[in-house]
Amino acid sequence: MLGSEKSRPAVAAFASAAAADRRIAGVAAAARAARALIDEGADGVSLLVGDGAPLARATMADIERLQGAATVTIARGEGPAPLLPTAWAVVRATGKPSDGLVSRWLNRPISQRITHAMLAIPGLRPIHVTIFNAVLALVMFAVLLTGGRAGLFAGGLLFQAASIIDGIDGEMARATFRSSASGATMDSVVDIATNLLFVSALTVNLALRDHDAIGWIGGWAVTLSILGGMLIAWRTRAGGGPLGFDLLKRSGTRIRGPVDLIYWAVQTLTGRDCFAFLFMVLILTGLERTALSIYAGVGTLWFLYVLTTLLPRSRAVRGAA
């Protein structure tokens, strides 16, 4: 709730209620200004409105959501105008240090432009994008099962599209201060399910077409993906954090020898961004069997990587308990 004014609060002034209500990347300017001052250490913020008009209901809701334990008051008056970022600057800052090569140079530049446009739509939330991506994964699965070159092409393109769209819900959440453990977990569940649906449908497609060992190779890849996903979920539950793949990352690690090089290669090749992009390229060039065989081989290394990365941490957590 909005509290009473404290002594000498931080001040942000707007010429009018309309200026305070202006949306910046899905958040009212007044709420974003108050949150910036609170993040800088202020435990009280005074928002001054030059024309004294009441703020919009959506602006008041944003202020209450973002003020936390701090006190925010609203009054008529003049004062220093806040230095606010542009909507694009907010969205540009939503990348993650753990982003892979494809995500950093291809997916993010595309997804952030989509996010910038979507944040201008009132009422749109990150969960809506997550649900859309889940539906897209089901469409991709059905398309791949139809068989034929057209099904393979469309499935590969949809898989890459899902990889790009996967970044939008997180970008929206970070831009609007809506990040949550439950949202991150749901996003990761959709990611894992999309990967499994893709590899499973591709395996069925090729097995029915070629009637040879490619079905067994794909089956091995699917099995490793399931076991690895179960291990990640178990380790996440043990650690009390949200389900996600960031716990596998060794960001900032220098490559000092062959072991570090293997870790880097496995992390890069099995990252969702690289995985989806390479499959799309290989399918479009007629190398879908090669793609599935590579995935089975790299998937074996990935599973060993998961074991060697997560099991020692699990023992450490139990020892500290």
Side-chain angles (χ1 to χ4, degrees):
M1 297 178 62
L2 299 177
S4 60
E5 185 175 359
K6 290 187 176 182
S7 60
R8 303 190 65 180
V11 176
F14 296 87
S16 64
D21 292 336
R22 180 172 62 92
R23 312 299 289 180
I24 301 176
V27 175
R32 195 172 286 280
R35 177 58 182 257
L37 292 170
I38 292 168
D39 287 344
E40 290 174 1
D43 57 5
V45 175
S46 179
L47 296 175
L48 304 179
V49 182
D51 61 3
L55 301 184
R57 181 179 301 177
T59 300
M60 297 298 293
D62 281 346
I63 293 171
E64 293 185 5
R65 179 172 64 87
L66 299 183
Q67 73 180 77
T71 301
V72 177
T73 61
I74 302 170
R76 181 168 187 168
E78 297 180 354
L83 182 61
L84 295 171
T86 64
W88 179 239
V90 172
V91 174
R92 283 285 291 157
T94 57
K96 297 169 64 176
S98 58
D99 282 345
L101 294 176
V102 175
S103 181
R104 184 177 299 113
W105 297 106
L106 176 64
N107 292 2
R108 284 288 180 206
I110 297 174
S111 65
Q112 287 180 335
R113 281 166 174 77
I114 299 173
T115 296
H116 181 258
M118 295 184 71
L119 286 173
I121 303 175
L124 196 64
R125 298 288 182 264
I127 184 62
H128 299 144
V129 178
T130 304
I131 293 173
F132 176 82
N133 222 18
V135 173
L136 185 64
L138 294 176
V139 173
M140 173 201 70
F141 181 73
V143 166
L144 280 168
L145 288 182
T146 61
R149 296 299 302 168
L152 286 173
F153 281 9
L157 291 171
L158 287 174
F159 190 36
Q160 172 61 15
S163 178
I164 293 173
I165 295 172
D166 174 50
I168 296 175
D169 49 4
E171 291 163 6
M172 291 179 65
R174 290 187 288 277
T176 58
F177 306 97
R178 295 183 183 277
S179 299
S180 66
S182 59
T185 295
M186 184 173 181
D187 182 51
S188 292
V189 169
V190 172
D191 290 350
I192 294 171
T194 301
N195 291 350
L196 287 175
L197 287 173
F198 176 78
V199 178
S200 299
L202 179 62
T203 298
V204 172
N205 183 304
L206 297 182
L208 292 176
R209 186 191 74 181
D210 299 339
H211 304 287
D212 58 13
I214 195 66
W216 293 102
I217 293 173
W220 170 251
V222 172
T223 300
L224 290 179
S225 297
I226 293 174
L227 293 176
M230 292 174 61
L231 181 57
I232 292 172
W234 167 73
R235 173 62 186 84
T236 301
R237 184 180 179 86
L243 178 64
F245 292 97
D246 285 349
L247 75 167
L248 294 175
K249 303 293 185 180
R250 297 199 339 177
S251 57
T253 301
R254 289 188 176 183
I255 299 177
R256 297 187 177 91
V259 174
D260 288 332
L261 181 61
I262 292 173
Y263 268 109
W264 177 84
V266 171
Q267 281 185 179
T268 300
L269 291 175
T270 59
R272 170 76 185 282
D273 58 331
C274 186
F275 168 47
F277 179 74
L278 288 178
F279 257 90
M280 179 191 70
V281 171
L282 291 173
I283 287 175
L284 293 179
T285 55
L287 298 174
E288 57 274 0
R289 288 175 59 90
T290 301
L292 191 56
S293 299
I294 291 174
Y295 178 72
V298 175
T300 302
L301 293 177
W302 173 79
F303 184 70
L304 294 175
Y305 171 56
V306 170
L307 288 176
T308 58
T309 300
L310 298 189
L311 288 183
R313 294 188 190 182
S314 180
R315 288 195 294 268
V317 169
R318 290 199 302 269

